[in-house]
Amino acid sequence: MKISEIYEHKKSLSFEIFPPKKDSELKNIDATLEVLCELKPDFISVTFGAGGSSNCNRTIELAKKIKFNYHVEPVVHLTCLSYNKAEIDEFSRVLKSEGIQNVLALRGDRNPDIPEKDDFKHASDLITYLKQNEDFCIAGACYPECHPESENRILEMKHLRTKVNAGAEVLLSQLFFDNDYFFRFVEDCRISGIEVPVIPGIMPVINAAQIKRMVTMCGASFPVRFQKIINKYENNKEALFDAGMSYALSQIIDLLANDIDGIHLYTMNNPTVAKRICEGIKNII
Ligand code: FAD
């Protein structure tokens, strides 16, 4: 099923997972998938490492498992900066032959260790190319607090509109900890004529190192009220877990109360986190 069809009827609940680093660990992911899939998400998206065919293979392997063993719709992330058209054609061929219909089309982060190729400069180039050649449902990434390379919000919106005009049918957002950024961002999208579903990405924080890494990596603002919680409980693992869960739940409930199109949970492959969040919203979503 194409994930764009979900939004004709309902809000979505979806998870992001990443492929294990080693082939041997791919077998152990079943315990995680069993719990995640019992929660009946509308789809599970699988991240894609920047460059290197082994990453790609593990993403596709995992997506196949999700689809055929657990009967949940997978969304395969696909980056383009370090690939040429022939390589993207080969990924597309494999995805099609496995019956995978949904792709999150991304540029990918710049990495000095991975050479960039010339065929695709932006995610919108990949989307245009995929749409010309294939019949995938395409999702794109979006950034409620602007992409770190962005010059300003106006240009960011212009580029996002290019991405949607190229064929992105759903937008999945970068994580954020302050819902006001997301609400303003959706408003900006609608003013700019972007009408596709914009799905907020929520990452429940369960340890202090994780949040420091996330804030550095993606530039998400760290509201004072959340900072106080982290400072207070960072040396008490159980308390921080409870506090992180409650904070994420309060974000999600506020988003749902404001009629957003769905929730995309960054699970970090932790089924306990996903289960706890789903229990907290089972009568709401
Ligand atoms: P783009 O849409 O190309 O945007 C990147 C920058 O270029 C932005 O500043 C944008 O404003 C600008 N831009 C866009 N179009 C133009 C244009 N025509 N002219 C000038 N400037 C332009 N990375 C991975 O490696 N693997 C993953 O699995 C992965 N999953 C992700 C999932 C989500 C939900 C999100 C939000 C991000 C994910 N990323 C992943 C990270 C992503 O690859 C990076 O954030 C990357 O730096 C940008 O990717 P993009 O697709 O948003 O790029």
Short mmCIF file of all heavy atoms in Angstrom, two decimals, residues 190-237:
data_model
loop_
_atom_site.label_atom_id
_atom_site.label_comp_id
_atom_site.label_asym_id
_atom_site.label_seq_id
_atom_site.Cartn_x
_atom_site.Cartn_y
_atom_site.Cartn_z
N ARG A 190 1.46 25.80 4.75
CA ARG A 190 0.14 26.03 4.15
C ARG A 190 0.11 27.38 3.45
O ARG A 190 -0.44 27.49 2.33
CB ARG A 190 -0.97 25.96 5.22
CG ARG A 190 -1.05 24.63 5.99
CD ARG A 190 -1.04 23.40 5.11
NE ARG A 190 -1.11 22.15 5.88
CZ ARG A 190 -0.48 21.03 5.55
NH1 ARG A 190 0.30 20.97 4.49
NH2 ARG A 190 -0.61 19.94 6.28
N ILE A 191 0.71 28.41 4.05
CA ILE A 191 0.75 29.74 3.41
C ILE A 191 1.51 29.64 2.08
O ILE A 191 1.17 30.29 1.10
CB ILE A 191 1.41 30.78 4.35
CG1 ILE A 191 0.50 31.07 5.54
CG2 ILE A 191 1.74 32.08 3.61
CD1 ILE A 191 1.17 31.84 6.67
N SER A 192 2.55 28.78 2.04
CA SER A 192 3.36 28.65 0.83
C SER A 192 2.71 27.75 -0.21
O SER A 192 3.31 27.45 -1.24
CB SER A 192 4.72 28.05 1.18
OG SER A 192 5.35 28.78 2.18
N GLY A 193 1.52 27.23 0.10
CA GLY A 193 0.84 26.37 -0.88
C GLY A 193 1.24 24.91 -0.78
O GLY A 193 0.94 24.12 -1.68
N ILE A 194 1.92 24.53 0.29
CA ILE A 194 2.28 23.10 0.48
C ILE A 194 1.13 22.45 1.23
O ILE A 194 0.87 22.80 2.39
CB ILE A 194 3.60 22.98 1.28
CG1 ILE A 194 4.75 23.56 0.46
CG2 ILE A 194 3.87 21.53 1.69
CD1 ILE A 194 6.06 23.70 1.21
N GLU A 195 0.45 21.53 0.57
CA GLU A 195 -0.78 20.99 1.17
C GLU A 195 -0.69 19.53 1.58
O GLU A 195 -1.64 18.97 2.11
CB GLU A 195 -1.96 21.22 0.21
CG GLU A 195 -2.35 22.68 0.22
CD GLU A 195 -3.36 23.06 -0.83
OE1 GLU A 195 -3.82 22.17 -1.55
OE2 GLU A 195 -3.66 24.26 -0.93
N VAL A 196 0.45 18.90 1.33
CA VAL A 196 0.58 17.46 1.67
C VAL A 196 0.65 17.29 3.19
O VAL A 196 0.96 18.25 3.92
CB VAL A 196 1.84 16.85 1.01
CG1 VAL A 196 1.78 16.96 -0.50
CG2 VAL A 196 3.12 17.51 1.54
N PRO A 197 0.35 16.06 3.70
CA PRO A 197 0.48 15.84 5.15
C PRO A 197 1.92 16.11 5.62
O PRO A 197 2.88 15.74 4.96
CB PRO A 197 0.14 14.35 5.30
CG PRO A 197 -0.66 14.00 4.09
CD PRO A 197 -0.17 14.88 2.99
N VAL A 198 2.01 16.80 6.76
CA VAL A 198 3.32 17.09 7.37
C VAL A 198 3.35 16.37 8.72
O VAL A 198 2.59 16.73 9.63
CB VAL A 198 3.51 18.61 7.57
CG1 VAL A 198 4.90 18.91 8.13
CG2 VAL A 198 3.29 19.37 6.27
N ILE A 199 4.17 15.35 8.82
CA ILE A 199 4.13 14.48 10.00
C ILE A 199 5.28 14.81 10.95
O ILE A 199 6.45 14.74 10.56
CB ILE A 199 4.23 12.99 9.56
CG1 ILE A 199 3.25 12.67 8.42
CG2 ILE A 199 4.02 12.05 10.75
CD1 ILE A 199 1.79 12.92 8.75
N PRO A 200 4.94 15.14 12.20
CA PRO A 200 6.00 15.48 13.15
C PRO A 200 6.80 14.26 13.60
O PRO A 200 6.22 13.20 13.87
CB PRO A 200 5.23 16.07 14.34
CG PRO A 200 3.88 15.45 14.27
CD PRO A 200 3.59 15.21 12.81
N GLY A 201 8.11 14.40 13.66
CA GLY A 201 8.99 13.33 14.15
C GLY A 201 9.30 13.58 15.63
O GLY A 201 9.80 14.63 15.99
N ILE A 202 8.96 12.59 16.45
CA ILE A 202 9.17 12.74 17.90
C ILE A 202 10.18 11.70 18.39
O ILE A 202 10.02 10.51 18.10
CB ILE A 202 7.84 12.58 18.67
CG1 ILE A 202 6.84 13.66 18.26
CG2 ILE A 202 8.06 12.58 20.19
CD1 ILE A 202 7.23 15.08 18.64
N MET A 203 11.18 12.17 19.10
CA MET A 203 12.13 11.24 19.69
C MET A 203 12.07 11.30 21.22
O MET A 203 12.48 12.30 21.82
CB MET A 203 13.55 11.54 19.25
CG MET A 203 14.56 10.60 19.92
SD MET A 203 16.22 10.86 19.39
CE MET A 203 16.18 10.03 17.83
N PRO A 204 11.52 10.25 21.86
CA PRO A 204 11.54 10.24 23.33
C PRO A 204 12.99 10.13 23.80
O PRO A 204 13.74 9.28 23.32
CB PRO A 204 10.75 8.97 23.68
CG PRO A 204 9.99 8.63 22.44
CD PRO A 204 10.83 9.08 21.30
N VAL A 205 13.37 11.02 24.70
CA VAL A 205 14.76 11.04 25.19
C VAL A 205 14.85 10.20 26.45
O VAL A 205 14.09 10.40 27.39
CB VAL A 205 15.19 12.48 25.47
CG1 VAL A 205 16.50 12.50 26.23
CG2 VAL A 205 15.34 13.22 24.16
N ILE A 206 15.75 9.22 26.43
CA ILE A 206 15.83 8.35 27.61
C ILE A 206 17.20 8.33 28.26
O ILE A 206 17.40 7.69 29.26
CB ILE A 206 15.37 6.91 27.29
CG1 ILE A 206 16.15 6.37 26.10
CG2 ILE A 206 13.87 6.87 27.02
CD1 ILE A 206 15.91 4.88 25.88
N ASN A 207 18.15 9.06 27.69
CA ASN A 207 19.41 9.26 28.42
C ASN A 207 20.06 10.58 28.03
O ASN A 207 19.82 11.10 26.94
CB ASN A 207 20.36 8.05 28.31
CG ASN A 207 20.92 7.89 26.92
OD1 ASN A 207 21.61 8.77 26.42
ND2 ASN A 207 20.62 6.76 26.31
N ALA A 208 20.86 11.10 28.95
CA ALA A 208 21.37 12.46 28.79
C ALA A 208 22.35 12.56 27.62
O ALA A 208 22.35 13.55 26.88
CB ALA A 208 22.04 12.91 30.08
N ALA A 209 23.15 11.51 27.40
CA ALA A 209 24.12 11.54 26.29
C ALA A 209 23.37 11.63 24.96
O ALA A 209 23.78 12.36 24.05
CB ALA A 209 24.97 10.28 26.32
N GLN A 210 22.25 10.92 24.88
CA GLN A 210 21.46 10.89 23.64
C GLN A 210 20.99 12.30 23.28
O GLN A 210 21.11 12.74 22.14
CB GLN A 210 20.27 9.95 23.85
CG GLN A 210 19.28 9.92 22.71
CD GLN A 210 17.92 9.35 23.16
OE1 GLN A 210 17.72 9.06 24.34
NE2 GLN A 210 17.01 9.20 22.24
N ILE A 211 20.49 13.02 24.29
CA ILE A 211 19.95 14.34 23.97
C ILE A 211 21.05 15.30 23.55
O ILE A 211 20.89 16.07 22.60
CB ILE A 211 19.10 14.94 25.10
CG1 ILE A 211 18.47 16.22 24.61
CG2 ILE A 211 19.83 15.21 26.36
CD1 ILE A 211 17.23 16.59 25.27
N LYS A 212 22.21 15.22 24.21
CA LYS A 212 23.31 16.12 23.83
C LYS A 212 23.71 15.84 22.38
O LYS A 212 23.93 16.75 21.59
CB LYS A 212 24.49 15.94 24.78
CG LYS A 212 24.21 16.68 26.10
CD LYS A 212 25.26 16.50 27.16
CE LYS A 212 24.70 17.00 28.49
NZ LYS A 212 25.08 16.20 29.64
N ARG A 213 23.78 14.55 22.03
CA ARG A 213 24.17 14.17 20.67
C ARG A 213 23.13 14.70 19.66
O ARG A 213 23.47 15.27 18.64
CB ARG A 213 24.26 12.65 20.60
CG ARG A 213 25.06 12.14 19.42
CD ARG A 213 25.32 10.64 19.49
NE ARG A 213 24.12 9.84 19.56
CZ ARG A 213 23.78 9.07 20.59
NH1 ARG A 213 24.57 9.00 21.65
NH2 ARG A 213 22.66 8.35 20.59
N MET A 214 21.86 14.54 20.00
CA MET A 214 20.79 14.93 19.07
C MET A 214 20.78 16.44 18.83
O MET A 214 20.62 16.90 17.71
CB MET A 214 19.43 14.51 19.64
CG MET A 214 19.18 13.05 19.55
SD MET A 214 19.41 12.54 17.83
CE MET A 214 20.01 10.90 18.06
N VAL A 215 20.93 17.18 19.92
CA VAL A 215 20.86 18.63 19.79
C VAL A 215 22.05 19.11 18.95
O VAL A 215 21.92 19.99 18.08
CB VAL A 215 20.81 19.30 21.18
CG1 VAL A 215 20.96 20.80 21.07
CG2 VAL A 215 19.49 18.95 21.86
N THR A 216 23.23 18.50 19.15
CA THR A 216 24.40 18.90 18.36
C THR A 216 24.20 18.50 16.90
O THR A 216 24.48 19.28 15.98
CB THR A 216 25.68 18.17 18.89
OG1 THR A 216 25.65 18.21 20.30
CG2 THR A 216 26.95 18.81 18.37
N MET A 217 23.72 17.29 16.67
CA MET A 217 23.62 16.79 15.29
C MET A 217 22.59 17.52 14.46
O MET A 217 22.83 17.84 13.31
CB MET A 217 23.26 15.30 15.31
CG MET A 217 24.47 14.39 15.26
SD MET A 217 24.00 12.69 15.52
CE MET A 217 22.88 12.40 14.16
N CYS A 218 21.40 17.77 15.04
CA CYS A 218 20.34 18.29 14.17
C CYS A 218 19.95 19.72 14.52
O CYS A 218 19.11 20.28 13.85
CB CYS A 218 19.13 17.36 14.19
SG CYS A 218 18.27 17.39 15.74
N GLY A 219 20.56 20.28 15.55
CA GLY A 219 20.31 21.68 15.86
C GLY A 219 18.94 21.96 16.45
O GLY A 219 18.46 23.09 16.41
N ALA A 220 18.26 20.93 17.01
CA ALA A 220 16.93 21.16 17.60
C ALA A 220 17.08 22.00 18.88
O ALA A 220 18.01 21.79 19.65
CB ALA A 220 16.26 19.83 17.94
N SER A 221 16.16 22.95 19.05
CA SER A 221 16.18 23.77 20.27
C SER A 221 15.83 22.90 21.46
O SER A 221 15.05 21.95 21.35
CB SER A 221 15.16 24.90 20.19
OG SER A 221 15.39 25.65 19.06
N PHE A 222 16.36 23.31 22.58
CA PHE A 222 16.24 22.52 23.79
C PHE A 222 15.54 23.43 24.81
O PHE A 222 16.18 24.23 25.47
CB PHE A 222 17.69 22.21 24.21
CG PHE A 222 17.87 21.12 25.18
CD1 PHE A 222 16.88 20.21 25.46
CD2 PHE A 222 19.09 20.98 25.83
CE1 PHE A 222 17.09 19.20 26.37
CE2 PHE A 222 19.31 19.98 26.74
CZ PHE A 222 18.29 19.09 27.01
N PRO A 223 14.19 23.36 24.92
CA PRO A 223 13.48 24.32 25.77
C PRO A 223 13.94 24.24 27.23
O PRO A 223 14.31 23.16 27.71
CB PRO A 223 12.01 23.89 25.67
CG PRO A 223 11.94 22.91 24.59
CD PRO A 223 13.29 22.37 24.31
N VAL A 224 13.87 25.39 27.89
CA VAL A 224 14.36 25.46 29.29
C VAL A 224 13.65 24.44 30.16
O VAL A 224 14.28 23.77 30.99
CB VAL A 224 14.15 26.90 29.83
CG1 VAL A 224 14.51 26.97 31.32
CG2 VAL A 224 14.98 27.87 29.04
N ARG A 225 12.32 24.29 29.97
CA ARG A 225 11.59 23.38 30.86
C ARG A 225 12.06 21.93 30.68
O ARG A 225 12.06 21.14 31.62
CB ARG A 225 10.07 23.49 30.66
CG ARG A 225 9.55 23.09 29.32
CD ARG A 225 8.03 23.23 29.25
NE ARG A 225 7.50 22.69 28.01
CZ ARG A 225 7.58 23.27 26.83
NH1 ARG A 225 8.17 24.44 26.72
NH2 ARG A 225 7.08 22.70 25.76
N PHE A 226 12.49 21.60 29.47
CA PHE A 226 13.01 20.25 29.22
C PHE A 226 14.43 20.12 29.78
O PHE A 226 14.80 19.12 30.40
CB PHE A 226 12.98 19.99 27.71
CG PHE A 226 13.24 18.56 27.34
CD1 PHE A 226 12.83 17.51 28.16
CD2 PHE A 226 13.88 18.24 26.15
CE1 PHE A 226 13.06 16.19 27.82
CE2 PHE A 226 14.12 16.92 25.79
CZ PHE A 226 13.71 15.90 26.64
N GLN A 227 15.21 21.19 29.61
CA GLN A 227 16.58 21.21 30.14
C GLN A 227 16.58 20.96 31.64
O GLN A 227 17.41 20.21 32.17
CB GLN A 227 17.19 22.57 29.84
CG GLN A 227 18.64 22.69 30.20
CD GLN A 227 19.41 23.35 29.06
OE1 GLN A 227 18.85 24.16 28.32
NE2 GLN A 227 20.66 23.00 28.93
N LYS A 228 15.61 21.59 32.31
CA LYS A 228 15.53 21.43 33.78
C LYS A 228 15.26 19.98 34.14
O LYS A 228 15.82 19.45 35.10
CB LYS A 228 14.41 22.32 34.34
CG LYS A 228 14.83 23.77 34.44
CD LYS A 228 13.81 24.56 35.21
CE LYS A 228 14.30 25.98 35.43
NZ LYS A 228 13.26 26.88 35.87
N ILE A 229 14.40 19.34 33.37
CA ILE A 229 14.09 17.92 33.63
C ILE A 229 15.35 17.07 33.47
O ILE A 229 15.68 16.24 34.32
CB ILE A 229 12.97 17.44 32.67
CG1 ILE A 229 11.66 18.17 32.96
CG2 ILE A 229 12.77 15.93 32.77
CD1 ILE A 229 10.55 17.92 31.95
N ILE A 230 16.07 17.32 32.38
CA ILE A 230 17.28 16.52 32.12
C ILE A 230 18.31 16.76 33.24
O ILE A 230 18.88 15.82 33.79
CB ILE A 230 17.91 16.90 30.75
CG1 ILE A 230 16.91 16.70 29.62
CG2 ILE A 230 19.21 16.11 30.51
CD1 ILE A 230 16.54 15.28 29.30
N ASN A 231 18.51 18.04 33.58
CA ASN A 231 19.50 18.35 34.63
C ASN A 231 19.13 17.67 35.94
O ASN A 231 19.98 17.14 36.65
CB ASN A 231 19.59 19.86 34.85
CG ASN A 231 20.19 20.56 33.64
OD1 ASN A 231 20.74 19.89 32.76
ND2 ASN A 231 20.08 21.88 33.59
N LYS A 232 17.85 17.66 36.25
CA LYS A 232 17.40 17.12 37.53
C LYS A 232 17.59 15.60 37.60
O LYS A 232 17.96 15.07 38.64
CB LYS A 232 15.90 17.47 37.69
CG LYS A 232 15.26 16.92 38.93
CD LYS A 232 15.04 17.99 39.95
CE LYS A 232 14.37 17.43 41.20
NZ LYS A 232 14.74 18.19 42.37
N TYR A 233 17.34 14.92 36.48
CA TYR A 233 17.29 13.45 36.55
C TYR A 233 18.42 12.75 35.79
O TYR A 233 18.40 11.53 35.67
CB TYR A 233 15.94 12.95 36.02
CG TYR A 233 14.77 13.50 36.81
CD1 TYR A 233 13.83 14.35 36.22
CD2 TYR A 233 14.62 13.20 38.16
CE1 TYR A 233 12.78 14.88 36.94
CE2 TYR A 233 13.57 13.73 38.89
CZ TYR A 233 12.65 14.56 38.28
OH TYR A 233 11.61 15.08 39.01
N GLU A 234 19.41 13.50 35.30
CA GLU A 234 20.40 12.85 34.41
C GLU A 234 21.20 11.75 35.11
O GLU A 234 21.73 10.85 34.44
CB GLU A 234 21.32 13.86 33.74
CG GLU A 234 22.24 14.63 34.63
CD GLU A 234 23.09 15.61 33.82
OE1 GLU A 234 23.35 15.36 32.64
OE2 GLU A 234 23.48 16.64 34.40
N ASN A 235 21.29 11.79 36.44
CA ASN A 235 22.05 10.74 37.13
C ASN A 235 21.18 9.62 37.68
O ASN A 235 21.66 8.76 38.42
CB ASN A 235 22.89 11.35 38.25
CG ASN A 235 23.90 12.33 37.69
OD1 ASN A 235 24.50 12.05 36.65
ND2 ASN A 235 24.05 13.49 38.32
N ASN A 236 19.90 9.64 37.35
CA ASN A 236 19.00 8.60 37.81
C ASN A 236 18.31 8.01 36.57
O ASN A 236 17.37 8.59 36.01
CB ASN A 236 17.96 9.22 38.76
CG ASN A 236 16.99 8.19 39.29
OD1 ASN A 236 16.78 7.15 38.69
ND2 ASN A 236 16.37 8.49 40.42
N LYS A 237 18.85 6.87 36.14
CA LYS A 237 18.44 6.28 34.85
C LYS A 237 16.92 6.07 34.76
O LYS A 237 16.29 6.45 33.75
CB LYS A 237 19.14 4.92 34.73
CG LYS A 237 19.56 4.55 33.36
CD LYS A 237 20.42 3.31 33.40
CE LYS A 237 20.05 2.42 32.24
NZ LYS A 237 20.49 1.06 32.36
#
